[in-house]
Amino acid sequence: MKAVLAFLLLLGSLAVSYGNGRGQMSLSGRGPPSRPPTRPPIRPRPHPVRAWNCREGPRLYGARQIDAGMGKVVVSDSRRQTFFLSAVAWYRLGRTSMKHVSVGAGGLWGCSHANKVYKYVAGDFKLANGLSMYQVDAGGDGQIVGVGQRNYNTYCLREKTALGYCGRGALRWTFLSRRMMYYSCGPMWGCWGVDKSFRIWVTKNISPTSCGTSGWAVVPGPRMRMIEVSSDGKVFGVTTTGKIYQRTGISNGRRQGTGWVYVPMCMPVRHVSYDLCNLWIVTTSGLVMKCSH
């Protein structure tokens, strides 16, 4: 009987050693110390996105560029025609063909396919003699900015000149010392641009009365082909692959902002503009989309 009891005790000791050692038994009857369970690797959180409610805007075939400001929305299309939105319909603006139009505190301005600058006066576009511009923007604090036809130099038209111009005489533009492919201003916190290398720039200060600038800086981010500033300081851009990003963290003390937020769309985008809680989008297929929170 004692022999049987001794044999049973030996079997119990071996079973305990086997369980503690996870299947590995040592000569001493003790297995290696148990290891804590391994935790799964910590994965980075996905890039934050903003939820927008989007629907097709008033139907306009072949839209190519859009601009919104001061409650107004204007569009240029593939037939070189310009329209403004009233209620749920588009109405023709003037008789002159435009490839780019912009509306804001400085009025309604545009560029023709011959890179001539025009201002909308008394129901039609009037030629503004002076420099040729590839793109203009009227969203600043009364001043007009533009990208020159040659070498992509950026220029500014002073507020007093821009507001009072009625189509007579030649305009004198002020060179802004930088070359951009696209340039846009807001009345609150400076101007933003994209250069020929698709890098993003911010001009932290611009004077509407003198067109003096200061605080030029490169902003890290995705490769952009265009960027727009709204009247309340919001910044949206379209990448070279047709994706939309919004710059976040912009304030009076940090005009360059702090980060980028992806705005998901079901189609690649050509152009974007924001005004009064509405994000206006032109897709590469020529559709106009209206988005809001």
Side-chain angles (χ1 to χ4, degrees):
M1 181 61 71
K2 292 182 178 180
V4 173
L5 290 174
F7 180 73
L8 292 176
L9 289 173
L10 176 61
L11 288 178
S13 176
L14 292 175
V16 172
S17 298
Y18 187 84
N20 289 339
R22 295 186 179 180
Q24 297 178 357
M25 189 166 32
S26 65
L27 294 176
S28 64
R30 295 182 179 179
S34 60
R35 298 178 181 177
T38 57
R39 296 180 179 178
I42 299 175
R43 297 180 180 179
R45 294 182 179 179
H47 197 76
V49 296
R50 293 186 63 101
W52 293 82
N53 297 317
C54 298
R55 57 183 175 84
E56 185 179 356
R59 184 65 58 89
L60 180 69
Y61 295 102
R64 296 187 63 86
Q65 179 260 333
I66 194 165
D67 192 68
M70 309 289 289
K72 304 177 180 67
V73 182
V74 291
V75 169
S76 63
D77 69 1
S78 57
R79 295 172 297 174
R80 303 181 181 182
Q81 295 178 340
T82 306
F83 300 86
F84 75 95
L85 180 63
S86 179
V88 293
W90 296 99
Y91 294 89
R92 180 78 186 270
L93 267 175
R95 296 169 294 177
T96 306
S97 298
M98 294 288 163
K99 68 176 180 180
H100 188 100
V101 285
S102 181
V103 62
L108 175 57
W109 295 71
C111 293
S112 70
H113 285 261
N115 297 318
K116 300 297 183 182
V117 179
Y118 289 80
K119 184 182 180 183
Y120 197 71
V121 178
D124 205 354
F125 285 102
K126 301 293 184 182
L127 177 65
N129 290 309
L131 293 176
S132 297
M133 294 288 171
Y134 175 79
Q135 174 250 333
V136 292
D137 185 85
D141 195 14
Q143 80 276 11
I144 307 297
V145 295
V147 176
Q149 177 185 3
R150 296 181 180 179
N151 299 322
Y152 296 98
N153 289 332
T154 51
Y155 295 92
C156 175
L157 189 64
R158 298 179 182 182
E159 173 190 21
K160 183 177 180 180
T161 303
L163 293 175
Y165 189 73
C166 59
R168 300 175 183 174
L171 297 175
R172 297 181 59 184
W173 296 81
T174 301
F175 177 49
L176 296 182
S177 75
R178 290 292 190 278
R179 292 181 178 180
M180 296 288 163
M181 187 171 60
Y182 199 99
Y183 199 54
S184 176
C185 291
M188 293 182 64
W189 298 322
C191 306
W192 290 69
V194 175
D195 66 15
K196 292 174 61 178
S197 299
F198 309 107
R199 294 183 303 173
I200 306 161
W201 288 79
V202 61
T203 312
K204 298 180 182 179
N205 299 287
I206 184 167
S207 169
T209 56
S210 67
C211 285
T213 61
S214 63
W216 290 81
V218 175
V219 178
R223 288 162 54 88
M224 297 284 189
R225 68 183 179 195
M226 61 84 55
I227 198 163
E228 279 284 341
V229 187
S230 69
S231 57
D232 59 355
K234 290 182 173 61
V235 175
F236 292 85
V238 177
T239 69
T240 54
T241 57
K243 293 181 172 58
I244 301 176
Y245 283 85
Q246 180 184 357
R247 187 65 174 173
T248 59
I250 299 174
S251 64
N252 187 40
R254 191 182 291 269
R255 301 196 172 192
Q256 73 276 15
T258 57
W260 293 99
V261 173
Y262 174 56
V263 180
M265 288 291 145
C266 59
M267 293 177 284
V269 172
R270 181 191 303 275
H271 210 272
V272 67
S273 186
Y274 180 88
D275 181 56
L276 299 178
C277 304
N278 289 289
L279 182 64
W280 296 90
I281 295 166
V282 171
T283 68
T284 55
S285 59
L287 290 177
V288 175
M289 304 291 292
K290 180 184 178 183
C291 303
S292 61
H293 283 301

